Amino acid sequence: MLTFLALAMIIVFIVLLSKKKLSVFAALTLVPFIFGIIAVFVTDSSILDLFQWIKEGIFYKVNSDTGKVSMGVISPAITILFSILYFDIMLGVGLFDPIAEFFIKKAKGDPMKVLLSTVAVASVVSLNGDTTTTIIICVAAFLSLYKQLNLKLSYLAIIIAAPIGIWNQLPWGGPTIAAATAIGVEISDLFAALLPGLLVAQVAVVLVTAYLGKKERKRLNFNPRDAKMVSKEQLDKMLSAIRDNQPELKRPRLYWFNLILTLGSLAILIKGDIHGSIIFMIASVVALAVNYKTVEECNDRIEALADDVLPTTIVTLGAGVFSGVLTGSGMATALANSIAGIIPTSLGSHMAPIYAVIAAPAITFLPQDAFYFGIASVIKGVMLQFGITPMQAAVASMVGQSFRLISPVIPALYMLCGETKQNFVDFQKEYIKYFWVVLVVYLAVYGITGALPY
């Protein structure tokens, strides 16, 4: 019954969003709340348990056996709140104007070069293994440029997400640690098996990005052969859209101060010793106080930026309700066990690739720990009976990472969709439309290397 409830909740959530019957925040909150009430009766729990599940999804949960604390979405939510506020302040003062102007001058309006620059930056930044940090940096660096050149913001979103899904699988990435721990293999050995697939997948992502760049060239009637013939007047016209945007907010004399403040904040964030929310909260206060001298100016900026800050933050908190009910009610565990039972044992050695494909939607909609410690740990025992090693089982469980970066339980993705002005389901569709190739690459490369037996 819990498996049915979990599937029904996920399907209703997707349908309501795709049909645009509810906002993302409403769907993330109301749908799990209603199904949570049903789960209360099914599991013979109390209504207070439902609110406890929600509390744990938003704030934190303490494992009664191990004492381990698992944080909810409150941590990334506050980081997202202050990071959006900070970078919106920086956009206003003109910090990113020189970056946008640089790419405009180098690309000479060429959409392909801009898109390729985006995927390059996203790939490098994502090496730190943190999804939120990568999205924050890439959106801040490129959003204004895409708007000025009239490039599709949906492409910006999927181009940022694709390399994150690849390089989150580094040894310090959450998925690799969870898979290695749940299945009982060495992280270094697992990464060595994954590396060929990651490298080829990166090449595939670059090629897809180049293809999207060609599409944008055609849509915008840009001929790369004419790029060198772009006149100074034409370039100035493109650049003026940046230079003349809200000039009263620009602070060119404080450029180096703002640059050092931003780089210092990002360096501390990437190092990881201080929580991101604290870094950007303090940085926002400093930025406001230095760039805008009066209390009235500071208050005006905060009020003006509320439209950007609040929607994404409350959506992130809504994701805590979704994941809290799904996990706390037992629906996540039930769904994990049911998916594990779908794969027929008669398939023998062919179980690995079949499991890898079936696991892709599971890892998309289930919390990461629920998938690896629920499904992956169970499937490992079944595979052993057919001569499939734990390492091969671990690799199979990682193939689903090709679609992990469209998961509704990743809070930072709502910030990405909010900043690029698109519906979450539309973002999922756009990603799958172009980056399904990453799943195929993993299956092919791991089959060739023997990491995934066929």
Side-chain angles (χ1 to χ4, degrees), residues 13-22 423 425-426 429:
F13 171 76
I14 294 173
V15 170
L16 289 175
L17 278 186
S18 60
K19 298 292 184 180
K20 299 182 179 179
K21 298 296 184 181
L22 289 176
N423 180 279
V425 173
D426 292 337
K429 291 177 181 177

Side-chain angles (χ1 to χ4, degrees), residues 161-176:
I164 298 176
I166 296 172
W167 302 114
N168 265 0
Q169 299 175 67
L170 290 169
W172 50 86
T176 310

Side-chain angles (χ1 to χ4, degrees), residues 258-316:
N258 290 319
L259 179 62
I260 293 171
L261 177 63
T262 300
L263 293 178
S265 298
L266 292 176
I268 296 171
L269 177 70
I270 293 172
K271 190 176 181 182
D273 292 334
I274 303 174
H275 196 273
S277 62
I278 299 174
I279 296 170
F280 286 118
M281 179 172 63
I282 295 174
S284 296
V285 173
V286 172
L288 283 171
V290 173
N291 287 279
Y292 303 103
K293 302 300 183 182
T294 68
V295 174
E296 288 76 17
E297 285 181 315
C298 292
N299 289 338
D300 286 344
R301 290 308 298 142
I302 293 175
E303 291 176 7
L305 298 176
D307 287 344
D308 285 343
V309 174
L310 290 181
T312 303
T313 304
I314 63 174
V315 163
T316 303

Side-chain angles (χ1 to χ4, degrees), residues 372-394:
Y372 284 110
F373 292 96
I375 296 177
S377 59
V378 172
I379 289 294
K380 179 193 73 172
V382 178
M383 288 187 172
L384 281 172
Q385 302 176 32
F386 298 94
I388 299 173
T389 67
M391 181 59 67
Q392 291 170 330

Side-chain angles (χ1 to χ4, degrees), residues 351-353 355-357 359 371 383 391-400 446 451-452:
M351 283 182 60
Y355 159 60
V357 173
F371 171 78
M383 288 187 172
M391 181 59 67
Q392 291 170 330
V395 171
S397 72
M398 294 295 287
V399 170
Y446 296 145
L452 197 65

Side-chain angles (χ1 to χ4, degrees), residues 205-394:
V205 166
V206 172
L207 292 176
V208 171
T209 301
Y211 168 73
L212 296 178
K214 286 185 177 180
K215 290 189 65 176
E216 285 293 79
R217 279 177 173 175
K218 183 177 181 180
R219 183 177 68 87
L220 298 171
N221 295 317
F222 180 88
N223 187 343
R225 294 180 181 178
D226 298 334
K228 294 181 180 180
M229 301 179 66
V230 175
S231 67
K232 183 178 183 301
E233 290 73 19
Q234 289 173 312
L235 273 177
D236 286 340
K237 186 176 180 180
M238 287 189 287
L239 295 173
S240 66
I242 297 173
R243 295 167 179 167
D244 299 336
N245 181 36
Q246 296 182 300
E248 72 279 3
L249 299 177
K250 301 292 175 68
R251 297 293 186 269
R253 294 181 180 179
L254 293 170
Y255 179 80
W256 287 106
F257 171 82
N258 290 319
L259 179 62
I260 293 171
L261 177 63
T262 300
L263 293 178
S265 298
L266 292 176
I268 296 171
L269 177 70
I270 293 172
K271 190 176 181 182
D273 292 334
I274 303 174
H275 196 273
S277 62
I278 299 174
I279 296 170
F280 286 118
M281 179 172 63
I282 295 174
S284 296
V285 173
V286 172
L288 283 171
V290 173
N291 287 279
Y292 303 103
K293 302 300 183 182
T294 68
V295 174
E296 288 76 17
E297 285 181 315
C298 292
N299 289 338
D300 286 344
R301 290 308 298 142
I302 293 175
E303 291 176 7
L305 298 176
D307 287 344
D308 285 343
V309 174
L310 290 181
T312 303
T313 304
I314 63 174
V315 163
T316 303
L317 295 173
V321 180
F322 188 95
S323 61
V325 172
L326 188 68
T327 302
S329 65
M331 283 191 276
T333 300
L335 182 59
N337 292 334
S338 296
I339 294 175
I342 290 175
I343 304 175
T345 56
S346 59
L347 292 175
S349 60
H350 299 297
M351 283 182 60
I354 293 174
Y355 159 60
V357 173
I358 293 177
I363 201 170
T364 299
F365 290 101
L366 287 175
Q368 186 167 274
D369 288 344
F371 171 78
Y372 284 110
F373 292 96
I375 296 177
S377 59
V378 172
I379 289 294
K380 179 193 73 172
V382 178
M383 288 187 172
L384 281 172
Q385 302 176 32
F386 298 94
I388 299 173
T389 67
M391 181 59 67
Q392 291 170 330

